[in-house]
Amino acid sequence: MEQYQNKNSQALKLNSYEVRLQWSCNDSQDYLHVDLHLWSLILDDLSQIVGWVDQRQKSSTLLDVKFSENQRETIEEKQNQMLKINLSDCQYGIKYLAIMPYSTQPLSLYKLKTAFLEVLENNKPILKINLWEEEQFFCYLSCIFSKQYDGTWILYQTKVLDIFGKIFLECEQIVKQGLLQCGFDYGLFQEAQKWSGKKTFNLKNDDFLVIPNTILNSEVIFDLGWDTRCEKDSSIIAFDQEGNMIENIYSTKVNSEIQSNVLHGDNQTAIGDSEDEVITINFKQVDQRVDTIWFVITIYSKGMNFSDVSGTYFRLVDKKTNKEFCRYNLSEKSSNYSTHNGCIMACIKRYQKNVWAIQPKGFLTQGQRFSSEVAPIIKNILSGNLSEIVIINEGENQLKTENQQVEKQMIPQQQLQQSLKAYENNITIIEDSEMEQQQEEKSQIQYQLLLQNEYESNNKIFLVSQMSLLLQNQKNMNPYITVSLNQKQVLKTIVKKNELNPNWSEKIQLTLKEGDILNFKVHSNKKFYFDTFLGQSKIIITKDILDKNNEQNYEYQLMDSQNNLNSNYQIQIKFKLQSIQQQSQQC
């Protein structure tokens, strides 16, 4: 079973999976009535709970999940509940499936005979979680299926326990903590909702950005541009929730029949040599049937394709203020596709409570010179079929380079296995034995990271400690800090409630080398809503830092998610970095 515990995430190769909850009771009369249940929550791209499947709601139309009836045996023998999952049958906009065993009463599970959850692939377990090891819980968010940008899925093992009991409508806080363990960052969403025109969000393919009400309440300009002069046209195609096309607006049909979209043609304010076309959207007038709006570029010059075009981009602009909200630049790798002459640039989707969000796509299509020919491909995308598009992988070359570097640094097999084992166990959670803060929601914990790499001579061991915040004119803050090393979270502090200048005594031991990036993120804990992202500080480990052999104090201002000075909060973070002699390290 240990082989599963060190595997926090894994890419899934198939579409069909089973999740099995199995337990057996002791013969004590006190536990004859123990009954566990298996619950799955379905979430959209914005992490909103939109559906569920359990023993009452046995299936869903959002994602093909089916609940199997209880398989009860005698009280001394095993009892089972099962979910059958088909990941290929998933409605567009659905991104997460959270798996949660729960009980109608607080359970001291270690007194049961057995209790565990398995995820099965072809009847073989790929994840096994021993619930019996937990002292008690009502709900246990144990794993999350997450859909990726290219249509593949990743399975994350999570661990969020609630001992106070939850019903469906109260699960947002539990799921939010689980998504944070999967690397979900709410900071970008929160910044977008508070957008005031002072910055532009530069988007990547896998970003989702909520369009703020300040823009939705006025007209929005969707500006598409490119550098090369050719016969190239932009269009907008609207679909309903069932995947039926409602309207197609293009160069010779510039007015929407439902008066929500108008293609104006050339952008009169374009800068430089680029050719631009703009589409104006009034979201207040968008027909209620419209669920998604797709922006498409097609090259209809005969013999021309994306190898002849450069500098393709789109940007979303608030027409009232002429401020640029977001921008997406199509990868220069698109020039490698000499047979592709169409591109699905972006999608704007309507979510619950009339919330709209934009996601760049950059999907290349082949042989389609007109938008009407791209519409059937979008319909297939809405049903989960991505076979007719090319998805440009931005990280492809970087990944290849990293693999080549690893091959050059081959080491003896026995030592390699030891290093891999140390790496897989790189985070060890040590409970604070002193229990100094009994009144806190969670007991203080100390995280220790031991990343051993004796094959790089410039590695040094450091101790990060004594973190503190200076909150200038900030009230009602309940801050906590997360620390990441090279984008992997290695520490999450306890929450400090209503302290003007909070301090944390938690410590973390790291092995650092030149070029490593330490990222300190500060959030304010909210009891019933998503935590507020206050800012972050990224510190690049330089040779000067590595050369210092004593304790150093560092102080940084918080930046926003785009690494600009956060104007909403005047907060400073302080921490200590102390070098430790290599020979003193305990393995």
Side-chain angles (χ1 to χ4, degrees):
M1 187 177 69
E2 286 74 12
Q3 60 180 318
Y4 306 110
Q5 292 180 344
N6 296 329
K7 209 168 187 179
N8 294 327
S9 66
Q10 52 187 306
L12 301 180
K13 300 176 182 179
L14 305 180
N15 291 321
S16 296
Y17 291 88
E18 293 181 345
V19 177
R20 180 172 63 192
L21 176 64
Q22 190 174 88
W23 72 98
S24 60
C25 300
N26 291 313
D27 54 7
S28 169
Q29 291 296 321
D30 294 336
Y31 292 94
L32 292 179
H33 62 287
V34 169
D35 195 12
L36 297 182
H37 302 278
L38 188 56
W39 200 0
S40 63
L41 302 177
I42 301 171
L43 295 86
D44 62 18
D45 297 315
L46 306 184
S47 73
Q48 301 175 115
I49 299 174
V50 293
W52 76 97
V53 172
D54 63 2
Q55 60 183 355
R56 293 166 297 176
Q57 180 74 28
K58 296 184 183 300
S59 64
S60 171
T61 59
L62 301 174
L63 178 62
D64 188 1
V65 182
K66 293 182 174 63
F67 182 88
S68 296
E69 292 292 340
N70 290 4
Q71 302 173 22
R72 293 185 178 276
E73 302 177 18
T74 63
I75 197 65
E76 293 83 8
E77 297 180 355
K78 293 180 180 179
Q79 302 178 66
N80 295 275
Q81 288 190 359
M82 181 87 75
L83 291 172
K84 295 186 176 181
I85 304 167
N86 178 14
L87 298 175
S88 64
D89 189 359
C90 178
Q91 189 178 104
Y92 185 80
I94 298 301
K95 185 172 174 64
Y96 303 104
L97 177 66
I99 305 299
M100 184 184 300
Y102 75 99
S103 172
T104 56
Q105 57 188 340
L107 295 178
S108 297
L109 290 180
Y110 64 88
K111 295 183 179 179
L112 295 180
K113 188 178 294 184
T114 60
F116 60 86
L117 181 139
E118 290 181 315
V119 179
L120 305 174
E121 181 183 81
N122 284 335
N123 294 322
K124 295 181 180 179
I126 61 172
L127 177 65
K128 187 170 183 178
I129 301 173
N130 191 351
L131 308 178
W132 179 78
E133 294 176 346
E134 304 303 328
E135 183 173 348
Q136 68 172 202
F137 66 80
F138 271 99
C139 298
Y140 185 160
L141 180 57
S142 53
C143 62
I144 295 177
F145 293 80
S146 174
K147 188 176 183 180
Q148 305 303 293
Y149 176 72
D150 60 359
T152 60
W153 289 78
I154 291 179
L155 175 63
Y156 291 94
Q157 180 177 346
T158 57
K159 186 175 182 180
V160 184
L161 282 75
D162 194 323
I163 64 173
F164 299 106
K166 293 289 176 182
I167 61 174
F168 169 70
L169 296 177
E170 298 175 329
C171 280
E172 278 192 338
Q173 190 72 12
I174 301 173
V175 173
K176 179 188 67 172
Q177 293 179 39
L179 291 178
L180 287 173
Q181 293 180 10
C182 299
F184 190 93
D185 189 352
Y186 294 95
L188 191 63
F189 284 3
Q190 294 166 345
E191 285 187 56
Q193 290 173 329
K194 297 177 181 179
W195 184 75
S196 61
K198 295 181 180 180
K199 63 182 291 184
T200 297
F201 294 96
N202 294 308
L203 300 181
K204 308 185 300 295
N205 282 351
D206 55 351
D207 283 336
F208 285 88
L209 200 61
V210 176
I211 302 176
N213 290 330
T214 52
I215 294 181
L216 293 178
N217 291 332
S218 63
E219 287 188 315
V220 178
I221 295 174
F222 194 91
D223 179 14
L224 298 108
W226 49 88
D227 292 338
T228 307
R229 296 186 180 277
C230 64
E231 291 186 86
K232 190 176 180 185
D233 190 27
S234 60
S235 57
I236 177 173
I237 309 176
F239 286 80
D240 63 17
Q241 199 166 24
E242 283 70 44
N244 302 309
M245 189 180 76
I246 295 177
E247 194 166 38
N248 184 8
I249 310 294
Y250 47 90
S251 58
T252 57
K253 183 191 175 185
V254 298
N255 292 315
S256 167
E257 295 177 0
I258 55 178
Q259 300 298 315
S260 57
N261 316 309
V262 180
L263 182 64
H264 287 292
D266 292 339
N267 181 3
Q268 302 299 320
T269 63
I271 300 174
D273 297 329
S274 63
E275 294 187 3
D276 291 39
E277 291 185 357
V278 297
I279 298 168
T280 300
I281 302 177
N282 188 329
F283 284 97
K284 284 187 173 181
Q285 296 180 11
V286 173
D287 192 291
Q288 288 300 315
R289 295 174 298 165
V290 174
D291 183 65
T292 56
I293 301 172
W294 299 77
F295 299 89
V296 176
I297 293 175
T298 52
I299 303 170
Y300 53 83
S301 295
K302 193 170 183 179
M304 297 191 72
N305 48 61
F306 272 93
S307 65
D308 304 305
V309 177
S310 63
T312 305
Y313 70 91
F314 76 73
R315 62 193 190 112
L316 203 65
V317 179
D318 183 357
K319 185 177 180 181
K320 183 177 181 181
T321 63
N322 202 32
K323 299 289 187 180
E324 185 177 280
F325 172 62
C326 66
R327 173 181 286 264
Y328 169 73
N329 297 313
L330 184 65
S331 171
E332 291 300 324
K333 292 182 182 180
S334 61
S335 62
N336 298 331
Y337 295 89
S338 58
T339 60
H340 291 71
N341 55 356
C343 182
I344 302 170
M345 286 292 289
C347 174
I348 295 180
K349 177 172 171 55
R350 190 201 304 261
Y351 292 88
Q352 293 184 88
K353 300 178 182 179
N354 230 25
V355 173
W356 293 85
I358 185 169
Q359 184 193 25
K361 294 295 184 181
F363 292 165
L364 298 183
T365 64
Q366 185 176 12
Q368 288 76 31
R369 297 175 59 199
F370 305 99
S371 59
S372 58
E373 299 172 323
V374 180
I377 297 177
I378 297 176
K379 183 177 178 65
N380 287 338
I381 293 173
L382 289 170
S383 64
N385 182 359
L386 306 182
S387 62
E388 297 180 89
I389 61 171
V390 167
I391 301 174
I392 302 174
N393 185 0
E394 293 283 359
E396 187 176 19
N397 289 344
Q398 180 182 357
L399 180 62
K400 184 177 180 181
T401 301
E402 291 174 353
N403 289 339
Q404 290 172 346
Q405 291 175 351
V406 171
E407 290 174 1
K408 291 179 181 180
Q409 298 176 356
M410 294 298 290
I411 58 179
Q413 183 67 24
Q414 184 178 4
Q415 295 175 341
L416 176 61
Q417 291 176 352
Q418 292 174 352
S419 296
L420 288 176
K421 185 177 181 180
Y423 178 75
E424 289 177 349
N425 292 279
N426 58 359
I427 298 179
T428 303
I429 300 177
I430 304 174
E431 293 187 4
D432 183 1
S433 60
E434 296 180 0
M435 302 295 288
E436 296 175 343
Q437 303 192 36
Q438 291 286 345
Q439 302 303 317
E440 294 289 345
E441 293 180 356
K442 295 180 180 179
S443 61
Q444 182 175 343
I445 57 177
Q446 179 183 6
Y447 295 74
Q448 185 180 37
L449 180 65
L450 299 175
L451 291 176
Q452 298 187 22
N453 190 345
E454 59 184 312
Y455 310 102
E456 295 190 34
S457 59
N458 61 342
N459 280 8
K460 289 187 66 175
I461 302 173
F462 286 87
L463 189 68
V464 181
S465 62
Q466 293 301 319
M467 289 174 285
S468 64
L469 293 177
L470 177 60
L471 307 178
Q472 299 178 4
N473 301 320
Q474 302 297 327
K475 297 180 179 179
N476 300 321
M477 291 288 187
N478 299 314
Y480 64 89
I481 300 173
T482 61
V483 183
S484 299
L485 174 60
N486 299 329
Q487 299 185 345
K488 184 178 182 64
Q489 183 173 307
V490 293
L491 173 66
K492 180 179 178 181
T493 69
I494 61 173
V495 176
K496 294 286 187 174
K497 294 186 176 182
N498 298 320
E499 294 187 21
L500 187 59
N501 294 305
N503 290 271
W504 288 266
S505 59
E506 296 165 73
K507 300 177 182 179
I508 179 170
Q509 187 169 298
L510 303 171
T511 299
L512 303 176
K513 63 180 181 298
E514 188 173 355
D516 282 344
I517 299 177
L518 278 176
N519 191 6
F520 296 80
K521 289 187 177 182
V522 181
H523 292 79
S524 179
N525 179 258
K526 302 295 183 184
K527 186 173 182 180
F528 299 108
Y529 302 96
F530 290 137
D531 293 352
T532 301
F533 174 69
L534 303 180
Q536 63 183 348
S537 288
K538 292 184 178 180
I539 296 90
I540 300 177
I541 302 302
T542 63
K543 187 176 184 300
D544 181 61
I545 293 176
L546 293 173
D547 288 343
K548 294 178 179 178
N549 293 317
N550 53 1
E551 187 175 78
Q552 298 292 324
N553 294 316
Y554 294 89
E555 182 175 322
Y556 290 91
Q557 294 279 2
L558 293 191
M559 314 295 280
D560 60 25
S561 63
Q562 301 288 318
N563 289 326
N564 299 315
L565 189 64
N566 197 325
S567 58
N568 295 321
Y569 302 101
Q570 296 296 320
I571 301 177
Q572 292 176 317
I573 182 172
K574 297 180 180 180
F575 64 94
K576 291 183 179 181
L577 200 62
Q578 180 180 1
S579 61
I580 300 176
Q581 296 298 322
Q582 288 275 32
Q583 58 266 26
S584 66
Q585 182 183 5
Q586 301 296 319
C587 299

